[in-house]
């Protein structure tokens, strides 16, 4: 590109340091051009810096928005974790309760509820089918012969497992259990318990012995009623 002297307008030769007509230094033209170029560069840098500034600000907003979302999410997770933790605790409690309440105690609970509710159907669940068939109205009236409000609780205080090899003989000879039931029994326990009657503000406790056996997969009371 041709260059001209800024003073006299003479066309300058390539690489000339002074005007050949007036002697004006050529560097003034170059300085002006450099200043213009520098100004352009500064403007470009300013625009670039401004763009970078917007980008950084946008990134800051995005980071702030992004950091806010996980906090809210974590808060919600904690709120959800509370009932979940309670559920685990309840499962543990019921699991422990199931361990502390073995299956052979189930007929004892049936009998306790049967007396308190005067429910013959519950009582029949506590005994073998052969015994349930004998429960006539007269026997039921005798079992539930309590006039005023009352509550009966049966607390098992001790147990003794009957050896399997002695189970049939023990049931028949010691507790007069029907042969058919004794022959089918797969396991048995002798339970020592306290039966407490609360009635009219008074309490009476008696020691009782209950024999429970497992017949056809079901635990039942065969002696002590």
């Amino acid at each position: 590109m041709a260059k001209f002297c800024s003073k006299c307008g003479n066309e300058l030769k390539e690489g000339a340091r002074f005007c050949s007509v007036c002697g004006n230094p050529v560097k003034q033209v170059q300085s002006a051009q450099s200043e213009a170029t520098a100004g352009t560069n500064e403007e470009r840098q300013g625009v670039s810096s401004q763009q970078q500034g917007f980008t950084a600000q946008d990134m800051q907003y995005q980071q702030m928005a992004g950091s806010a979302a996980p906090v809210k999410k974590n808060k919600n997770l904690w709120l959800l974790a509370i009932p979940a933790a309670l559920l685990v605790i309840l499962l543990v409690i019921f699991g422990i309760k199931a361990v502390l309440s073995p299956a052979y105690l189930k007929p004892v609970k049936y009998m306790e509820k049967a007396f308190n509710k005067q429910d013959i159907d519950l009582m029949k669940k506590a005994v073998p089918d052969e015994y349930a068939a004998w429960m006539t109205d007269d026997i039921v009236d005798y079992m539930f012969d309590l006039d005023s409000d009352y509550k009966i609780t049966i607390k098992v205080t001790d147990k003794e497992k009957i050896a399997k090899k002695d189970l049939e003989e023990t049931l028949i000879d010691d507790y007069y259990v029907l042969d058919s039931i004794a022959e089918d029994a797969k396991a048995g326990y002798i339970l020592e318990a306290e039966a407490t009657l609360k009635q009219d503000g008074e309490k009476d406790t008696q020691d009782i012995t209950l024999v429970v056996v497992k017949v056809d997969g079901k635990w039942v009371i065969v002696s002590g009623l």
Side-chain angles (χ1 to χ4, degrees), residues 1 90-91:
M1 177 182 288
L90 290 175
L91 290 175

Side-chain angles (χ1 to χ4, degrees), residues 28 49 108 136 139 146 159 182-183 199 201 207 212 222 225:
Q28 293 180 1
S49 299
V108 180
T136 62
I139 295 177
L146 294 169
K159 70 178 187 297
E183 291 171 359
Q199 185 179 24
D207 294 330
V212 294
V222 293
L225 294 176

Side-chain angles (χ1 to χ4, degrees), residues 59-72:
M59 290 177 63
Q60 185 177 7
Y61 287 151
Q62 291 176 358
Q63 290 176 354
M64 292 176 62
S67 62
V71 170
K72 185 176 182 180

Side-chain angles (χ1 to χ4, degrees), residues 72-98:
K72 185 176 182 180
K73 183 177 181 181
N74 290 338
K75 183 178 180 181
N76 291 336
L77 288 177
W78 275 108
L79 293 175
L80 292 175
I82 294 174
L86 293 176
L87 178 60
V88 171
I89 293 173
L90 290 175
L91 290 175
V92 172
I93 293 175
F94 283 116
I96 294 175
K97 184 178 180 181

